Amino acid sequence: MRGVRRLICGALFLLSIAAMRTMCVQAAGEAAEDPLPGYTLEDFDASEIQAYLDRLSREGYSRISFKELMGRLMGGELDVVFGEMAELAFEGLFREIRTNAGLMGQIVILALTGAVFSSFSGVFGSGHVSETGFYVVYLLLMTFLAASFFASVRVADEVAKGLLEFMQALLPAYFLAVTMAGGGLTSAGVCGFTFAAIGLVQTIFTGVLIPLMRVYMMLVLAGHLHKEDMVSKFTELLRQGILWTVKTLFGVIIGFHLIQGMILPQADALKNASVMRVAQMIPGVGAGAGAVSQLVMGSGILIKNTAGAAAMVILFLLAAMPMLKLLLLTALYYMAAAVMQPVCDKRLVSCVSEVAAGNGMLLKLVACSLTLFMTTVAILCISTNAAWYAG
């Protein structure tokens, strides 16, 4: 009886090996019919991303095809991509210079008018006339600067919302590409946190920081109405609070991605390597099955990394024009303050300088938001490559 049992077990074992061999031969035959088995650009679902980009083109942006951009990056046409990016940046820079040069001229003229009123204080027996004229000019300048700064705040708010909406359209397709590249555990573990982080960034940025920037600037402008320093400590507290909030948010989110990048991708790599080693142990077709698996996984990683690179290009293009505008406004306000300082009242000069610093803070907020999302995509791209190296 014992010999019969051994014979039956041996027969079942041989039958299972034969079945597995037959399946691998069929898979190898199907792969042989396709000279390049694996994923292609057509397997990457960019419909939501393209719908968002098409909506931007209807709002005045240049039309961008995400699949076409991926194809150029995959084909090594980096000079064409970077050339187009530089061309758009230079066009936006010159356009902003032409738009804002007149703005700075009006500010300087108003400030010089205030200087004229101040210089008449010795002509009149009382300084009330010159002081009244100064306050009239200051209120006009304050209104002008507040309107200009609130326009900058709207620019920063819109670009932050645009970056967030693009990330929301990108991430479902991108995490699917991560899964295609053998990063199933990473995709499942990071997807939820990343969407929660985007919601947190949107809530803090649009619900807290942007309103605080408006309050900060109004306090700064109102504080220079009097010669005594009354609210500078409070405005400094607001300024530091805004900047510390941004830095803390950046550190927490990037820190999480760095930690998960050291754990989950390695678990995916171990899982994929184990499966491939078992497949390679099958007699006869193991080597072919392992090669096909490597090719399929390699094509998935190529698609994933190309999509990540294209996403970073799109993120940069979305933020380039607003950041150039904020940078140019900051520089022009500082130049206007430098021109005004020898002849104008120090309160007017300080007021213009504070508006320049406020535009610089908005620039930091936008740059931090852009860097946060680009770094997130870069960490995901690099860390999930572990599946290929382990194979």
Side-chain angles (χ1 to χ4, degrees), residues 304-316:
K304 169 187 68 69
N305 289 349
T306 305
M312 295 175 71
V313 172
I314 299 297
L315 286 170
F316 176 80

Side-chain angles (χ1 to χ4, degrees), residues 19-318:
M20 293 178 64
R21 184 170 181 175
T22 302
M23 292 172 62
C24 291
V25 169
Q26 291 177 353
E30 293 176 358
E33 295 177 0
D34 186 2
L36 290 175
Y39 297 109
T40 64
L41 282 178
E42 300 301 324
D43 296 315
F44 182 78
D45 184 14
S47 57
E48 292 188 13
I49 303 173
Q50 192 58 50
Y52 173 74
L53 296 177
D54 290 341
R55 181 166 63 83
L56 287 182
S57 66
R58 291 192 295 270
E59 295 176 359
Y61 287 82
S62 300
R63 189 184 186 282
I64 302 173
S65 173
F66 195 80
K67 285 287 186 72
E68 182 180 348
L69 179 59
M70 288 181 63
R72 288 184 177 182
L73 291 173
M74 191 177 294
E77 301 179 11
L78 298 180
D79 53 342
V80 177
V81 174
F82 289 122
E84 293 179 354
M85 292 170 61
E87 182 179 354
L88 290 174
F90 279 117
E91 287 180 1
L93 177 62
F94 290 127
R95 183 171 61 250
E96 293 300 333
I97 289 176
R98 290 192 300 268
T99 302
N100 294 294
L103 172 67
M104 294 302 111
Q106 295 173 8
I107 291 175
V108 172
I109 290 173
L110 276 174
L112 292 177
T113 304
V116 170
F117 280 106
S118 298
S119 64
F120 283 164
S121 59
V123 176
F124 300 97
S126 174
H128 295 295
V129 175
S130 61
E131 192 70 15
T132 302
F134 167 78
Y135 279 121
V136 170
V137 172
Y138 185 86
L139 289 175
L140 289 174
L141 184 64
M142 177 180 173
T143 304
F144 198 89
L145 292 175
S148 175
F149 184 78
F150 287 171
S152 298
V153 170
R154 285 195 297 272
V155 169
D157 191 22
E158 289 174 1
V159 67
K161 289 180 179 178
L163 295 176
L164 290 166
E165 289 176 2
F166 176 74
M167 288 296 293
Q168 290 172 348
L170 169 74
L171 288 179
Y174 188 75
F175 279 118
L176 180 59
V178 172
T179 304
M180 290 164 50
L185 292 177
T186 303
S187 180
V190 181
C191 182
F193 175 85
T194 307
F195 275 106
I198 289 177
L200 180 64
V201 170
Q202 185 173 14
T203 301
I204 292 179
F205 196 97
T206 62
V208 179
L209 298 183
I210 291 298
L212 281 181
M213 285 300 301
R214 293 191 177 97
V215 173
Y216 167 80
M217 187 50 56
M218 291 307 299
L219 288 174
V220 166
L221 294 176
H224 288 86
L225 274 172
H226 302 282
K227 294 182 179 181
E228 294 82 6
D229 189 3
M230 300 177 64
V231 295
S232 62
K233 297 302 180 182
F234 185 67
T235 54
E236 181 64 20
L237 177 63
L238 281 179
R239 178 177 176 276
Q240 293 298 329
I242 291 170
L243 296 179
W244 287 345
T245 301
V246 172
K247 293 176 182 178
T248 302
L249 194 64
F250 183 88
V252 169
I253 294 177
I254 296 302
F256 171 83
H257 285 298
L258 287 175
I259 292 173
Q260 65 82 23
M262 294 186 291
I263 301 174
L264 293 180
Q266 305 305 321
D268 280 319
L270 179 61
K271 177 198 65 177
N272 295 332
S274 301
V275 172
M276 292 178 65
R277 294 296 184 271
V278 171
Q280 290 173 355
M281 292 173 61
I282 300 174
V285 296
V292 171
S293 300
Q294 282 277 60
L295 186 58
V296 171
M297 187 179 299
S299 64
I301 289 178
L302 177 61
I303 297 297
K304 169 187 68 69
N305 289 349
T306 305
M312 295 175 71
V313 172
I314 299 297
L315 286 170
F316 176 80
L317 291 177
L318 290 176

